[in-house]
Amino acid sequence: MDLQSIINESKNIVFFGGAGVSTESGIPDFRSVDGLYNQKYDYPPEQILSHTFFVRNTAEFYRFYQDKMLCLDVEPNAAHYKLAELEKAGKLSAVVTQNIDGLHQKAGSKKVYELHGSVHRNYCTKCGKFFDAEYIKAAEGVPKCECGGVIKPDVVLYEEPLDDRTVNGAVKAIRNCDTMIIAGTSLKVYPAAGLINYFSGKHLVLINLEQTNADSLADLAIHGKVGEVLGKIKV
Ligand code: NAD
């Protein structure tokens, strides 16, 4: 069965995506050839984006974060727009994403479970005041609140737990869906990658540039660009 036929017969799709969903918008992923892991920094991104590093080397964390993680002048691509369209048409119940870029919402998606948080929410670690991403981007050095507290992005750093409510919502959506489309994720970051184990619906579809270890579980595995593949779907 091809993807169009699967989508035509589905009534409750859940999309589960990762960094590869935003590469066509110009945001590098972590593991592909052009991804962040293959660029040069004093420390590997996994170390910089850890809770310990944030606490001990806050200035260095923000130098990397402002430069590489805060991509604010980017637009959604065909994948983001098609998913929003599918939701509007009543065929898709939720997007579960590992991305922190906010592009699904920018494209119009309403039900989005952001497993790893969002660069668009930032809080003072002392008084809890909210700051938007533009404030963080414009800050020189470590972004601080008027009260003197250090501001922390509401993103889940390595060593930090996922938000319970977000995970529970994502699990419920995955448990109830008839089709799950997994795209643009290497499925190497846990616990997020483990969420696919909750799927017991009819069709499991994988769209990824390269093979993943979930290909064998899928009834359809497409090796290609998710924006190009979803862009062709008729809703
Ligand atoms: P990953 O970098 O480990 O894997 C990305 C996967 O997507 C790779 O297998 C790659 O081959 C594939 N890919 C790249 N471009 C693609 C495209 N156009 N179409 C289809 N497949 C494509 O990403 P991950 O599994 O999401 O895990 C990395 C972690 O990094 C996540 O926790 C995420 O929060 C974070 N991250 C987020 C962003 C973002 O918000 N845009 C960017 C980089 C990293």
Side-chain angles (χ1 to χ4, degrees):
M1 215 171 181
D2 65 6
L3 182 57
Q4 183 70 60
S5 311
I6 290 177
I7 288 177
N8 288 350
E9 75 159 49
S10 302
K11 293 189 175 65
N12 181 348
I13 302 169
V14 165
F15 179 87
F16 177 78
V21 176
S22 293
T23 53
E24 287 162 86
S25 292
I27 305 179
D29 64 13
F30 273 5
R31 287 183 181 77
S32 321
V33 186
D34 297 321
L36 291 176
Y37 278 22
N38 291 295
Q39 299 176 0
K40 277 209 157 172
Y41 298 100
D42 289 346
Y43 305 89
E46 231 161 13
Q47 190 179 341
I48 301 176
L49 296 172
S50 69
H51 183 82
T52 306
F53 198 91
F54 177 81
V55 172
R56 294 197 186 145
N57 295 294
T58 317
E60 187 65 12
F61 169 91
Y62 268 115
R63 256 197 296 280
F64 174 87
Y65 180 82
Q66 281 169 321
D67 184 27
K68 293 292 162 204
M69 305 301 290
L70 266 187
C71 309
L72 300 183
D73 50 355
V74 290
E75 293 300 326
N77 62 54
H80 299 103
Y81 286 120
K82 190 63 68 177
L83 293 166
E85 210 182 320
L86 283 164
E87 182 185 33
K88 213 168 167 204
K91 291 190 78 73
L92 180 138
S93 57
V95 168
V96 179
T97 183
Q98 299 167 81
N99 294 347
I100 55 175
D101 53 38
L103 287 180
H104 286 293
Q105 290 92 333
K106 202 170 179 184
S109 283
K110 301 282 181 245
K111 198 82 194 148
V112 183
Y113 293 104
E114 296 175 306
L115 296 173
H116 294 158
S118 173
V119 299
H120 295 285
R121 299 184 297 268
N122 305 274
Y123 297 96
C124 171
T125 52
K126 214 164 146 196
C127 73
K129 187 177 170 186
F130 170 86
F131 294 87
D132 63 16
E134 285 70 23
Y135 183 90
I136 306 298
K137 189 83 180 174
E140 279 178 32
V142 175
K144 294 237 172 90
C145 178
E146 297 91 336
C147 80
V150 170
I151 300 169
K152 184 179 178 295
D154 187 16
V155 302
V156 180
L157 300 176
Y158 291 99
E159 305 161 354
E160 292 178 345
L162 305 192
D163 175 63
D164 276 346
R165 270 184 40 197
T166 309
V167 173
N168 292 340
V171 166
K172 205 171 162 196
I174 292 169
R175 272 204 170 122
N176 291 335
C177 72
D178 55 10
T179 293
M180 185 169 178
I181 303 175
I182 302 173
T185 172
S186 61
L187 294 170
K188 284 182 180 141
V189 176
Y190 281 83
L195 287 183
I196 68 169
N197 297 327
Y198 292 99
F199 176 69
S200 61
K202 197 162 175 209
H203 298 293
L204 184 66
V205 179
L206 260 148
I207 310 169
N208 209 69
L209 279 182
E210 56 188 18
Q211 241 185 328
T212 71
N213 46 22
D215 278 28
S216 56
L217 303 172
D219 9 345
L220 178 64
I222 301 172
H223 295 137
K225 290 189 173 176
V226 59
E228 284 179 11
V229 173
L230 287 184
K232 290 187 191 127
I233 294 298
K234 293 192 177 57
V235 180

mmCIF file of all heavy atoms in Angstrom, residues 12-28:
data_model
loop_
_atom_site.group_PDB
_atom_site.id
_atom_site.type_symbol
_atom_site.label_atom_id
_atom_site.label_comp_id
_atom_site.label_asym_id
_atom_site.label_seq_id
_atom_site.Cartn_x
_atom_site.Cartn_y
_atom_site.Cartn_z
ATOM 1 N N ASN A 12 -7.298 8.536 12.162
ATOM 2 C CA ASN A 12 -6.651 9.108 13.338
ATOM 3 C C ASN A 12 -5.139 8.890 13.236
ATOM 4 O O ASN A 12 -4.603 7.899 13.709
ATOM 5 C CB ASN A 12 -7.236 8.422 14.593
ATOM 6 C CG ASN A 12 -6.638 8.960 15.878
ATOM 7 O OD1 ASN A 12 -5.643 9.689 15.864
ATOM 8 N ND2 ASN A 12 -7.231 8.583 17.000
ATOM 9 N N ILE A 13 -4.479 9.860 12.583
ATOM 10 C CA ILE A 13 -3.032 9.733 12.357
ATOM 11 C C ILE A 13 -2.279 10.472 13.457
ATOM 12 O O ILE A 13 -2.683 11.552 13.893
ATOM 13 C CB ILE A 13 -2.642 10.358 10.989
ATOM 14 C CG1 ILE A 13 -3.418 9.677 9.853
ATOM 15 C CG2 ILE A 13 -1.142 10.278 10.745
ATOM 16 C CD1 ILE A 13 -3.307 10.399 8.504
ATOM 17 N N VAL A 14 -1.189 9.893 13.925
ATOM 18 C CA VAL A 14 -0.254 10.620 14.783
ATOM 19 C C VAL A 14 1.081 10.677 14.058
ATOM 20 O O VAL A 14 1.541 9.678 13.503
ATOM 21 C CB VAL A 14 -0.101 9.958 16.178
ATOM 22 C CG1 VAL A 14 1.121 10.499 16.908
ATOM 23 C CG2 VAL A 14 -1.342 10.213 17.026
ATOM 24 N N PHE A 15 1.652 11.865 14.044
ATOM 25 C CA PHE A 15 2.959 12.052 13.409
ATOM 26 C C PHE A 15 4.000 12.182 14.511
ATOM 27 O O PHE A 15 3.821 12.952 15.456
ATOM 28 C CB PHE A 15 2.942 13.329 12.555
ATOM 29 C CG PHE A 15 4.253 13.619 11.881
ATOM 30 C CD1 PHE A 15 4.551 13.070 10.633
ATOM 31 C CD2 PHE A 15 5.190 14.443 12.478
ATOM 32 C CE1 PHE A 15 5.758 13.339 10.005
ATOM 33 C CE2 PHE A 15 6.410 14.714 11.859
ATOM 34 C CZ PHE A 15 6.693 14.164 10.620
ATOM 35 N N PHE A 16 5.069 11.416 14.392
ATOM 36 C CA PHE A 16 6.152 11.478 15.382
ATOM 37 C C PHE A 16 7.430 11.878 14.653
ATOM 38 O O PHE A 16 7.903 11.155 13.771
ATOM 39 C CB PHE A 16 6.307 10.107 16.048
ATOM 40 C CG PHE A 16 7.443 10.027 17.031
ATOM 41 C CD1 PHE A 16 7.324 10.563 18.306
ATOM 42 C CD2 PHE A 16 8.632 9.408 16.693
ATOM 43 C CE1 PHE A 16 8.373 10.487 19.220
ATOM 44 C CE2 PHE A 16 9.690 9.326 17.605
ATOM 45 C CZ PHE A 16 9.551 9.863 18.865
ATOM 46 N N GLY A 17 7.972 13.050 14.968
ATOM 47 C CA GLY A 17 9.091 13.545 14.176
ATOM 48 C C GLY A 17 10.292 13.968 14.988
ATOM 49 O O GLY A 17 10.248 14.127 16.212
ATOM 50 N N GLY A 18 11.387 14.167 14.258
ATOM 51 C CA GLY A 18 12.624 14.629 14.879
ATOM 52 C C GLY A 18 13.272 15.720 14.046
ATOM 53 O O GLY A 18 12.627 16.306 13.166
ATOM 54 N N ALA A 19 14.544 15.948 14.308
ATOM 55 C CA ALA A 19 15.265 17.068 13.709
ATOM 56 C C ALA A 19 15.204 17.068 12.173
ATOM 57 O O ALA A 19 15.231 18.129 11.547
ATOM 58 C CB ALA A 19 16.712 17.044 14.176
ATOM 59 N N GLY A 20 15.095 15.871 11.570
ATOM 60 C CA GLY A 20 15.044 15.784 10.107
ATOM 61 C C GLY A 20 13.822 16.456 9.496
ATOM 62 O O GLY A 20 13.801 16.751 8.304
ATOM 63 N N VAL A 21 12.801 16.722 10.320
ATOM 64 C CA VAL A 21 11.597 17.393 9.811
ATOM 65 C C VAL A 21 11.902 18.875 9.531
ATOM 66 O O VAL A 21 11.248 19.514 8.715
ATOM 67 C CB VAL A 21 10.427 17.239 10.815
ATOM 68 C CG1 VAL A 21 9.197 17.999 10.368
ATOM 69 C CG2 VAL A 21 10.097 15.766 11.011
ATOM 70 N N SER A 22 12.912 19.399 10.187
ATOM 71 C CA SER A 22 13.207 20.830 10.021
ATOM 72 C C SER A 22 14.448 21.116 9.179
ATOM 73 O O SER A 22 14.756 22.284 8.948
ATOM 74 C CB SER A 22 13.356 21.490 11.400
ATOM 75 O OG SER A 22 12.117 21.489 12.075
ATOM 76 N N THR A 23 15.139 20.073 8.708
ATOM 77 C CA THR A 23 16.342 20.354 7.908
ATOM 78 C C THR A 23 15.987 21.068 6.600
ATOM 79 O O THR A 23 16.738 21.915 6.132
ATOM 80 C CB THR A 23 17.148 19.062 7.586
ATOM 81 O OG1 THR A 23 16.261 18.116 6.991
ATOM 82 C CG2 THR A 23 17.782 18.470 8.819
ATOM 83 N N GLU A 24 14.817 20.742 6.036
ATOM 84 C CA GLU A 24 14.409 21.425 4.794
ATOM 85 C C GLU A 24 14.004 22.881 5.038
ATOM 86 O O GLU A 24 13.785 23.633 4.100
ATOM 87 C CB GLU A 24 13.275 20.640 4.107
ATOM 88 C CG GLU A 24 13.782 19.365 3.455
ATOM 89 C CD GLU A 24 12.670 18.373 3.173
ATOM 90 O OE1 GLU A 24 12.045 18.473 2.112
ATOM 91 O OE2 GLU A 24 12.417 17.495 4.040
ATOM 92 N N SER A 25 13.922 23.260 6.320
ATOM 93 C CA SER A 25 13.701 24.670 6.657
ATOM 94 C C SER A 25 15.033 25.363 6.933
ATOM 95 O O SER A 25 15.066 26.553 7.245
ATOM 96 C CB SER A 25 12.814 24.786 7.905
ATOM 97 O OG SER A 25 11.509 24.354 7.629
ATOM 98 N N GLY A 26 16.120 24.591 6.884
ATOM 99 C CA GLY A 26 17.448 25.174 7.074
ATOM 100 C C GLY A 26 18.026 25.010 8.471
ATOM 101 O O GLY A 26 19.054 25.599 8.792
ATOM 102 N N ILE A 27 17.374 24.215 9.328
ATOM 103 C CA ILE A 27 17.929 23.969 10.667
ATOM 104 C C ILE A 27 18.679 22.640 10.629
ATOM 105 O O ILE A 27 18.095 21.609 10.295
ATOM 106 C CB ILE A 27 16.814 23.894 11.735
ATOM 107 C CG1 ILE A 27 15.966 25.154 11.701
ATOM 108 C CG2 ILE A 27 17.416 23.670 13.115
ATOM 109 C CD1 ILE A 27 14.815 25.156 12.699
ATOM 110 N N PRO A 28 19.977 22.644 10.945
ATOM 111 C CA PRO A 28 20.721 21.383 10.860
ATOM 112 C C PRO A 28 20.252 20.369 11.899
ATOM 113 O O PRO A 28 19.816 20.749 12.986
ATOM 114 C CB PRO A 28 22.177 21.794 11.137
ATOM 115 C CG PRO A 28 22.107 23.115 11.811
ATOM 116 C CD PRO A 28 20.819 23.762 11.396
#
